[in-house]
Amino acid sequence: MTLANRMVMAPMTRNRAEADGLATSAMAVHYGQRASVGLIVSESVPVSAQGVGYPFTPGLYTDSQAANWRRVTDLVHVGGGRIFAQLQHCGRISHPSLQPGGTLPVAPSPVRPDGQAVTHGGMQDFVMPRQLDTEEVPAIVAQFRHAAQQAKRSGFDGVEVHAGNGYLIDQFLRDGTNHRADSYGGSTANRMRLLHEILDAVCTVWPAGRVGVRVTPENSFNSMSDSDPQRHFEYIASQLNPRDLAYLHVLEGDMTTAARIVDYHALRAAFAGTYIANNGYNLERAQHAISSGHADLVAFGTPFVANPDLVRRYREGLPLAVPDRNTFYAGGDTGYIDYPFHPREEALSA
């Protein structure tokens, strides 16, 4: 797939969907405004009702949700852009009030995260999740396959399997949260089994070249840890090579503490395909990452919030607008679709 440039709009949850997980017309405008970027990766999209972990996140498991996402993808394509759906299951990062029937969130092991869940009733303490039985894992895989089918019906250009940020697949990958004694726990190969099975399923719907994977080797967000992220994630990256995926999308470092213990040059060397670097990149760092061969594409998050025309601003050396963090998750149009494009020179001279 040919992209217009090497910039990627990183996935950013903004809690703007309707209560039943439907994408809105404002979401279509938001993504359409940013269609000049080479690739948009959508906000995290729950693959099932069980996978929901936050209020007002847009799903891809019902026909109505798929139909509403079509409005988003159509506007992105009208603007000449490309967009992948980021498929996610939150696992233990949920709350009974967000689960069907008020059941417990599921996880690889009964390890409760620190902190609180975001719910429709405000912040509430995380609960002890229920460990998935081995026999239940195929149903999780089927949820990702179904969501991949809905993404195709919705007009997306591909999908990104979210295996990071402390959500269900990441909970299986990292040994701080995976204490299983069955074929999905113990060795790195076993902990990667769920990701392999999900990719097998998703790649029956999409060609491998339209499927990406996101990992966050040392990100502590959502109370995550791993005993040896360098060794474990170099192995994970190398094991993805035979799949010829669209890309590996890596959040480099810890987005909550800015710490960095993993050698990402070594991790990048372990992966032979297209590599997307993410986390705190500005234009100068991004240009160096591309020119040095460290990355093929660079993902930007926060700068895209206030700069729908970020590509043009970087290309022409224009100043960047500063986002209002108070509106990141506030709902409504303010701080979402009301950031202006930079005025053109002819408008300034008029």
Side-chain angles (χ1 to χ4, degrees), residues 29 34 54 97 153 177 211 216 340 342 345:
V29 172
R34 290 152 178 82
Y54 301 93
S97 65
R153 298 187 186 106
T177 43
V211 177
T216 57
H342 194 280
E345 291 181 5

Side-chain angles (χ1 to χ4, degrees), residues 15 48 66 75 232 266:
N15 302 99
S48 66
L75 271 185
H232 293 162

